[in-house]
């Protein structure tokens, strides 16, 4: 981001402190300029020229986070729902404006690749039903596969309970009797679990291993990283 913003607005929007607190943090030498230029709360600054406790600022608006979500964390902003995926990010990121949200959701009991962003347009695009991005899930099943699931999932005719339109064809790859990967391009509520339920099975564990071209690489469970501009899906 090369554009200039008022310092208090910039620092406040990144969640470091309130806009009012900026003046005292400048006086205390906590907020400084990379070239030691004098600062006031209303000084117009570029993001890359400001340091907080001698460190570069967190990424500006437009960041996309790739997280390896652990089981037991909820994709919600509501503290009443237990441990939240946002708890795995720096605390001040909760105060960012615009706020960070998950790109779609993974269930509490599902692990794996989760994207989060503060880019509303990107979020809207990636979660739109028209946007058919491929997602691969690794499922462990309660019962042995019967053999007809691959054809049923690929048929484009599978109806989920309570829905009016069939699932778009999905690609099942059988690993063994109780393990398979499923590639889907939609993001219906609990879709993978409901697809297996529709063929008389039950998913006992579920992990998302890819989203479009993105994979987790060596990202440990519970860790995250910021995507580079080139990696951001479009
Ligand atoms: N399908 C599910 O059933 N759960 C998820 O978290 C994602 C896809």
């Amino acid at each position: 981001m090369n554009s200039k913003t008022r310092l208090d607005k910039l620092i406040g929007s990144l969640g470091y402190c309130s806009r009012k607190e900026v003046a005292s943090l400048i006086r205390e030498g906590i907020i400084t300029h990379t070239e030691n230029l004098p600062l006031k709360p209303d000084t117009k600054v570029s993001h890359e020229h400001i340091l907080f406790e001698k460190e570069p600022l967190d990424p500006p608006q437009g960041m996309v986070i790739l997280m390896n979500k652990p089981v037991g964390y909820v994709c919600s902003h509501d503290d009443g729902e237990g441990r939240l995926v946002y708890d795995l990010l720096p605390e001040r990121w909760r105060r960012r404006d615009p706020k960070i949200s998950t790109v779609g959701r993974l269930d509490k009991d599902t692990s794996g690749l989760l994207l989060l962003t503060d880019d509303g347009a990107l979020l809207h695009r990636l979660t739109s039903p028209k946007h058919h991005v491929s997602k691969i899930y690794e499922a462990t099943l309660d019962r042995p596969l019967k053999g007809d699931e691959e054809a049923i999932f690929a048929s484009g005719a599978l109806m989920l309970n309570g829905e009016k339109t069939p699932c778009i064809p999905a690609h099942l790859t059988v690993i063994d009797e109780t393990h398979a990967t499923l590639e889907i391009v939609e993001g219906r509520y609990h879709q993978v679990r409901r697809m297996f339920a529709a063929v008389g099975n039950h998913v006992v564990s579920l992990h998302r291993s890819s989203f479009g071209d993105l994979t987790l690489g060596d990202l440990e469970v519970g860790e995250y990283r910021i995507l580079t501009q080139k990696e951001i899906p479009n």
Side-chain angles (χ1 to χ4, degrees):
M1 189 171 71
N2 291 320
S3 62
K4 292 194 167 190
T5 319
R6 273 179 68 120
L7 179 60
D8 54 359
K9 184 161 184 259
L10 174 68
I11 296 288
S13 71
L14 295 176
Y16 284 94
C17 61
S18 71
R19 287 174 68 163
K20 283 196 177 136
E21 287 163 330
V22 168
S24 57
L25 293 182
I26 294 170
R27 272 198 307 279
E28 289 164 31
I30 289 172
I31 298 172
T32 52
H33 190 280
T34 48
E35 285 153 25
N36 289 323
L37 298 185
L39 292 171
K40 286 195 292 170
D42 64 357
T43 309
K44 292 272 179 94
V45 294
S46 295
H47 176 278
E48 68 272 21
H49 286 148
I50 301 302
L51 303 175
F52 194 95
E53 293 180 328
K54 304 202 164 49
E55 297 289 331
L57 295 181
D58 295 333
Q61 187 199 346
M63 73 170 166
V64 181
I65 302 158
L66 174 77
M67 179 185 281
N68 188 349
K69 177 193 172 295
V71 164
Y73 284 75
V74 183
C75 295
S76 164
H77 283 106
D78 179 358
D79 280 321
E81 293 199 38
R83 287 181 293 178
L84 309 181
V85 290
Y86 304 101
D87 297 341
L88 298 165
L89 302 174
E91 198 265 336
R92 65 173 170 267
W93 289 13
R94 287 197 179 214
R95 294 186 295 276
R96 283 177 67 114
D97 179 18
K99 80 176 178 187
I100 298 171
S101 299
T102 61
V103 177
R105 288 178 174 221
L106 288 180
D107 317 333
K108 185 174 182 179
D109 296 329
T110 300
S111 60
L113 197 160
L114 179 69
L115 295 180
L116 303 97
T117 186
D118 59 357
D119 181 338
L122 179 73
L123 181 67
H124 190 260
R125 203 162 59 245
L126 294 178
T127 54
S128 151
K130 290 187 208 123
H131 192 92
H132 291 167
V133 57
S134 142
K135 286 149 287 215
I136 299 178
Y137 292 86
E138 299 169 0
T140 303
L141 304 163
D142 195 27
R143 294 170 211 135
L145 287 156
K146 292 180 246 172
D148 56 358
E149 296 87 349
E150 188 182 337
I152 294 172
F153 290 167
S155 69
L158 179 69
M159 290 295 290
L160 299 180
N161 228 343
E163 302 233 354
K164 292 194 176 71
T165 53
C167 292
I168 291 176
H171 184 66
L172 184 79
T173 305
V174 176
I175 297 166
D176 63 32
E177 280 201 316
T178 54
H179 293 90
T181 65
L182 182 62
E183 181 175 1
I184 61 174
V185 296
E186 300 174 281
R188 302 188 194 205
Y189 179 70
H190 288 185
Q191 179 162 348
V192 175
R193 294 177 196 276
R194 289 166 70 214
M195 286 175 72
F196 280 104
V199 292
N201 213 322
H202 175 74
V203 172
V204 287
S205 76
L206 190 61
H207 175 84
R208 181 156 74 186
S209 55
S210 75
F211 184 104
D213 292 336
L214 295 167
T215 57
L216 287 166
D218 51 15
L219 201 60
E220 301 282 343
V221 177
E223 306 232 299
Y224 67 89
R225 70 179 179 86
I226 313 284
L227 294 186
T228 62
Q229 210 59 38
K230 267 195 185 155
E231 290 178 302
I232 296 178
N234 44 40

